[in-house]
């Protein structure tokens, strides 16, 4: 029987152009899906006849209810080496091997700065005006040099964002529940006394925390109210860290200068979602991980994971 592999959420239809898929031979059939399956019934209908599924990041959850309905599934490959949306215990009980791939931290860092700079200098508004024969110069940009960049989280990504901020001549401060002065000193930034003080003193706030019970809803209406009316909020981490309704209210009422978002409560974002029309918002469709180098890792190593599994010696096993 042919070994069938499904690749989910290949929105750009490029998965098979990254990685040496032909090396798997004719006995492996690869089918890519360019549309997102939002419901479990749709996923079951699409994946029932596949032995292997390659999924991007944590966009598609694989809970017990889904895994139990895919009896043919034997190999599940997730991009990255950490995935909280997979029920590993059920996968193991059902004889499903879960493997990962390497992932780079630099693409989300670069996108963070694309959003921050785009907001600060009104790039989209000015570009649209220029190309649409609108006014010549309609915005006054916000400066970075000498301003304060507040980072919620100083892990691998947060530290790289901090170094860019320092290179711009910004004052960089950071906070998280477990952040120590030693870690802040190591990166060369200041440790904020509290989350509240970081929010109140920063001109730009960027979120770089993992989503957990402690960070879910970390920035609600009260926290957003602490931001200066001239401040910008950037979130390329997880949408649920920021109360989405509270953020929409702040944007519509002009309580903050703007927000840059790459993550949303529902992805892909529905056509009628209020974030699509929110004012003062610069948004991208979760592009943080989408780069050539990352796709070469994801799909190149997905091919390696499949071959290793078929050889009886799985690699990069998760769970």
């Amino acid at each position: 029987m042919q070994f069938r592999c499904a690749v989910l959420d290949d929105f750009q239809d490029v998965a098979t152009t990254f990685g040496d898929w032909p090396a798997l031979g004719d006995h492996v059939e690869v089918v890519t899906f360019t549309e997102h399956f939002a419901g479990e019934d749709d996923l079951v209908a699409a994946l029932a006849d596949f032995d292997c599924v390659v999924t991007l990041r944590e966009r598609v959850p694989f809970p017990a209810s889904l895994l139990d309905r895919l009896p043919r599934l034997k190999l599940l490959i997730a991009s990255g080496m950490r995935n909280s949306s997979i029920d590993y215990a059920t996968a193991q009980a059902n004889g499903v091997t879960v493997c990962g791939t390497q992932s780079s931290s630099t693409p989300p860092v670069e996108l963070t700065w694309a959003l921050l700079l785009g907001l600060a200098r009104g790039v989209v508004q000015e570009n649209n005006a220029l190309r649409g024969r609108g006014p010549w110069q309609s915005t006054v940009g916000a400066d970075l040099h000498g301003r304060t960049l507040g980072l919620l989280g100083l892990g691998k990504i947060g530290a790289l964002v901090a170094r860019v901020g320092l290179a711009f001549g910004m004052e960089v401060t950071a906070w998280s529940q477990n952040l120590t002065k030693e870690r802040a000193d190591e990166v060369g930034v200041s440790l904020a006394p509290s989350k509240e003080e970081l929010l109140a003193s920063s001109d730009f706030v960027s979120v770089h925390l993992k989503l957990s019970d402690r960070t879910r809803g970390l920035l609600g209406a009260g926290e957003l109210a602490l931001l200066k009316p001239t401040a910008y909020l950037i979130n390329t981490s997880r949408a649920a860290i920021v109360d989405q309704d509270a953020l929409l209210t702040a944007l519509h009422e002009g309580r903050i200068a703007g927000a840059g978002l790459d993550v949303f409560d529902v992805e892909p974002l529905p056509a009628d979602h209020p974030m699509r029309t929110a004012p003062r918002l610069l948004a991208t469709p979760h592009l943080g991980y989408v780069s050539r180098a990352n796709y070469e890792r994801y799909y190149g190593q997905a091919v390696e994971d499949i071959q290793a599994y078929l050889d009886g010696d799985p690699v990069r096993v998760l769970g």
Side-chain angles (χ1 to χ4, degrees):
M1 182 182 296
Q2 192 173 41
F3 188 86
R4 304 190 73 223
C5 175
V7 180
L8 296 180
D9 292 335
D10 183 18
F11 299 121
Q12 306 96 332
D13 196 17
V14 296
T16 55
T17 69
F18 294 94
D20 190 10
W21 295 93
L24 295 173
D26 294 337
H27 63 284
V28 176
E29 179 188 5
V30 180
V31 178
T32 63
F33 292 95
T34 57
E35 299 296 324
H36 179 71
F37 298 110
E40 186 172 296
D41 289 343
D42 291 336
L43 277 166
V44 171
L47 303 178
D49 294 328
F50 286 93
D51 306 277
C52 170
V53 173
V54 178
T55 181
L56 266 181
R57 308 302 294 155
E58 297 171 325
R59 178 171 287 110
V60 179
F62 279 82
S65 58
L66 175 58
L67 291 168
D68 284 343
R69 297 173 68 186
L70 298 173
R72 181 168 168 173
L73 182 64
K74 293 296 178 283
L75 177 62
L76 177 59
I77 300 173
S79 56
M81 292 301 293
R82 183 180 65 249
N83 192 307
S84 61
S85 68
I86 297 172
D87 187 325
Y88 293 102
T90 300
Q92 183 177 20
N94 291 5
V96 178
T97 300
V98 182
C99 297
T101 72
Q102 294 176 343
S103 182
S104 172
S105 299
T106 54
V109 172
E110 293 166 0
L111 186 69
T112 295
W113 280 101
L115 290 171
L116 193 154
L117 288 165
L119 281 169
R121 301 306 297 267
V123 171
V124 174
Q125 181 177 337
E126 294 289 3
N127 174 73
N128 288 343
L130 186 149
R131 294 173 64 85
R133 301 181 184 180
W136 184 261
Q137 299 182 353
S138 59
T139 64
V140 177
D143 296 282
L144 272 60
H145 184 86
R147 299 302 190 267
T148 299
L149 170 63
L151 300 176
L152 292 171
L154 198 62
K156 187 182 299 183
I157 292 175
L160 291 173
V161 171
R163 289 171 187 165
V164 178
L166 293 170
F168 273 116
M170 303 183 79
E171 300 292 330
V172 183
T173 183
W175 177 90
S176 71
Q177 287 97 332
N178 296 324
L179 184 60
T180 64
K181 186 176 184 303
E182 290 73 21
R183 171 60 177 168
D185 289 344
E186 177 186 340
V187 179
V189 306
S190 301
L191 175 63
S194 66
K195 173 184 65 178
E196 290 74 18
E197 187 157 336
L198 179 142
L199 295 171
S201 63
S202 296
D203 299 293
F204 300 87
V205 173
S206 193
V207 180
H208 302 288
L209 294 165
K210 297 176 183 177
L211 181 61
S212 67
D213 290 340
R214 291 196 305 172
T215 62
R216 187 179 299 274
L218 186 72
L219 299 187
E223 287 77 15
L224 293 175
L226 296 173
L227 292 170
K228 303 174 184 179
T230 55
Y232 296 89
L233 175 68
I234 314 295
N235 187 4
T236 58
S237 180
R238 291 292 184 270
I241 295 173
V242 182
D243 185 305
Q244 300 295 283
D245 290 337
L247 178 57
L248 280 168
T249 298
L251 290 171
H252 278 283
E253 296 182 356
R255 297 181 190 173
I256 60 176
L261 301 181
D262 187 47
V263 288
F264 305 92
D265 54 355
V266 180
E267 296 184 7
L269 206 59
D272 59 350
H273 196 285
M275 280 296 181
R276 285 188 180 267
T277 55
R280 304 176 181 85
L281 176 65
L282 178 57
T284 49
H286 206 152
L287 298 177
Y289 61 88
V290 181
S291 75
R292 290 184 177 275
N294 249 0
Y295 271 28
E296 287 170 356
R297 289 186 182 91
Y298 291 169
Y299 296 119
Q301 293 184 10
V303 171
E304 295 174 3
D305 289 348
I306 295 169
Q307 188 61 67
Y309 173 83
L310 293 175
D311 291 341
D313 189 18
V315 296
R316 291 183 286 266
V317 176
L318 305 179

